[in-house]
Amino acid sequence: MKNYTIVTMPGDGIGKIVLKEAVRVLEKAGLKADFVYGDIGWEFWCKEGNPLPERTIKLIEKYKLGLFGAITSKPKKAAEEELDPQLKGKGYVYFSPIVSMRQMFELDLCVRPSRSFEGNPLNFVKRNPDGTVIEPSIDAVIFRQGTEGSYAGVEWTNPPDEVINVFKTHKKFKSFEKVKKEDIAISTRIVTREATRRVIKEAFEYAKKFGYKSVTVAEKPNVLRETSGMFEEEAKNISKDYREIALWSVNIDAIMMWLTKNPEDYGVFVCENLFGDILSDGFAGLVGGLGFACSGNIGKEYAVFEPTHGSAPKYEKLNPSIVNPIAMILSSAMLCDHIGEIEIANKIKNAIKEVVKEGKVRTYDMLRLPGGPNAIEQGAASTQEMTDAILEKL
Ligand code: NAI
Ligand code: MG
């Protein structure tokens, strides 16, 4: 009898490659789980006009726990062009299945840890005044609100009259009134108090549980007075219950600068959806890039874990595959933490730590090689070899 059932959604491109590797690691690490496969991604958009088919939604509803690889997304017009001819012109509109999944299953906490592994040649370094180089250890965890803000999807090009009329009630809209409607595109940034409170509270709880000294709100309340303003206000309120943790509020643009200077000073972050997306990529770049960037989308009832990278289609067909499976494997370790399998999660993280520290097996990205079929002969490990090295440590 298996303890868990995990819906595996490989998706497109390298999602298909790395998810397989993560399952190998979970099994070897001793997770007692069944894996059921779910369709998701571009293929199903083209064939069915729906990148997140109902049957996959049903699986997540049933099992509540998912591992997701990556999908290919294309802009509106390009998406329409690739639709099966029989479906064209029937009103199908492409949407990002992961963004939809977050909204549909209320996966409102998007948690993205960025931790440096000792020995990773891609780690951030800086130079002392005397020329010596230091490599600070980075341990930042970004709590990104996952369901609302700029990614809520409330947007229009050529907005309907009733929308324009509402905007006209705002005095700042005056300067846009002379622009033709078809030349206006509007994306909203909707932030609600309850969701804001929840993500901030979870960020503080996490900081408390794991001994972080600070929670930083990365917003822009001096300009985005309403939405960022609400974030800052609620953070101040909630921080009163966590006297031992410092609350810092630093503008998102300033943070993007500070993280290139002293990323080691920061601990937990909390911000809106789009800002969190940007901030987490920024931090990912300091600890190895997309090959190391893991994430969890966590709601009260459901959770889906995924690497933050995309489908990297140009590497999909390489045989052997060269992409780094660590981001996906770390994401599956996050899944283990989430379900309380802490020991298994630690085993996986320690195995990765050892492999990286040893430095004998490195994928092309870790060697700073151009990606492509020649990477292997230049000394890069294949995707499978990297996984094998991790399995060996387990
Ligand atoms: P990407 O993340 O797929 O790839 C960008 C580059 O990062 C790659 O060319 C490669 O050099 C590197 N990279 C990514 N994953 C890697 C790994 N595991 N190991 C080593 N190197 C890795 O982003 P890109 O090229 O902008 O988008 C490709 C497609 O993926 C697009 O259709 C995009 O919409 C989609 N996408 C999907 C995401 C998701 O499923 N959550 C997230 C980001 C992009
Ligand atoms: Mg991103």
Side-chain angles (χ1 to χ4, degrees), residues 95-116:
F95 57 89
S96 158
I98 180 64
V99 174
S100 308
M101 239 185 320
R102 289 184 189 129
Q103 288 166 350
M104 198 175 283
F105 295 105
E106 294 181 52
L107 309 175
D108 61 334
L109 308 175
C110 183
V111 184
R112 299 189 155 183
S114 270
R115 298 193 175 101
S116 48

Side-chain angles (χ1 to χ4, degrees), residues 102 112 144 151 274 276-278 280-281 290 308-310:
R102 289 184 189 129
R112 299 189 155 183
R144 157 186 171 193
Y151 291 176
L274 166 63
D277 198 5
I278 296 171
S280 55
D281 271 16
L290 291 174
T308 71
H309 63 71

Side-chain angles (χ1 to χ4, degrees), residues 208-271:
K208 183 172 161 183
K209 185 169 170 195
F210 296 104
Y212 289 86
K213 293 183 181 64
S214 63
V215 170
T216 303
V217 179
E219 283 288 320
K220 186 92 181 174
N222 55 333
V223 178
L224 297 172
R225 292 173 186 278
E226 309 306 327
T227 49
S228 291
M230 188 180 281
F231 254 91
E232 199 183 43
E233 180 189 330
E234 289 303 332
K236 278 184 188 154
N237 288 338
I238 290 166
S239 74
K240 289 178 191 147
D241 298 335
Y242 301 87
R243 296 278 178 200
E244 69 288 8
I245 300 164
L247 170 67
W248 295 337
S249 180
V250 187
N251 283 349
I252 180 70
D253 49 343
I255 278 291
M256 297 312 290
M257 183 274 294
W258 287 116
L259 69 77
T260 65
K261 290 176 76 100
N262 55 354
E264 70 277 19
D265 290 352
Y266 295 93
V268 175
F269 283 94
V270 61
C271 49

Side-chain angles (χ1 to χ4, degrees), residues 14 70-73 290 306 308-315 324 364:
I14 65 165
I71 42 92
T72 297
S73 270
L290 291 174
E306 52 153 349
T308 71
H309 63 71
S311 60
K314 62 183 176 189
Y315 300 141
N324 192 343
Y364 86 95

Side-chain angles (χ1 to χ4, degrees), residues 43 46 347 378:
E43 186 187 337
C46 297
K347 250 167 51 180
Q378 288 174 273

Side-chain angles (χ1 to χ4, degrees), residues 29-190:
L31 186 73
K32 293 200 170 17
D34 282 322
F35 297 92
V36 297
Y37 164 87
D39 288 334
I40 195 168
W42 197 248
E43 186 187 337
F44 305 97
W45 159 252
C46 297
K47 283 200 302 214
E48 302 173 25
N50 183 358
L52 182 59
E54 195 54 39
R55 54 192 180 275
T56 305
I57 295 171
K58 289 258 150 61
L59 286 177
I60 304 171
E61 273 170 358
K62 183 164 176 195
Y63 297 115
K64 301 187 167 31
L65 200 55
L67 262 184
F68 166 57
I71 42 92
T72 297
S73 270
K74 294 186 188 177
K76 204 169 152 186
K77 281 199 184 124
E80 259 161 41
E81 273 160 26
E82 290 190 36
L83 200 54
D84 182 301
Q86 300 199 327
L87 299 175
K88 275 189 188 153
K90 295 208 169 132
Y92 291 101
V93 181
Y94 181 78
F95 57 89
S96 158
I98 180 64
V99 174
S100 308
M101 239 185 320
R102 289 184 189 129
Q103 288 166 350
M104 198 175 283
F105 295 105
E106 294 181 52
L107 309 175
D108 61 334
L109 308 175
C110 183
V111 184
R112 299 189 155 183
S114 270
R115 298 193 175 101
S116 48
F117 287 99
E118 198 186 331
N120 186 351
L122 302 177
N123 281 346
F124 170 81
V125 293
K126 54 185 177 181
R127 204 181 300 278
N128 283 317
D130 66 2
T132 52
V133 167
I134 40 172
E135 187 179 310
S137 169
I138 295 171
D139 182 351
V141 183
I142 290 131
F143 276 72
R144 157 186 171 193
Q145 206 295 327
T147 48
E148 13 177 280
S150 303
Y151 291 176
V154 183
E155 51 181 9
W156 306 264
T157 301
N158 190 6
D161 285 333
E162 54 268 40
V163 172
I164 291 288
N165 287 336
V166 170
F167 276 92
K168 278 184 180 165
T169 64
H170 197 291
K171 65 177 190 296
K172 292 271 187 184
F173 197 71
K174 201 107 218 115
S175 55
F176 301 106
E177 279 183 19
K178 47 188 178 294
V179 184
K180 279 194 294 203
K181 239 165 40 85
E182 52 270 36
D183 293 332
I184 296 182
I186 296 175
S187 298
T188 61
R189 188 182 206 247
I190 303 175

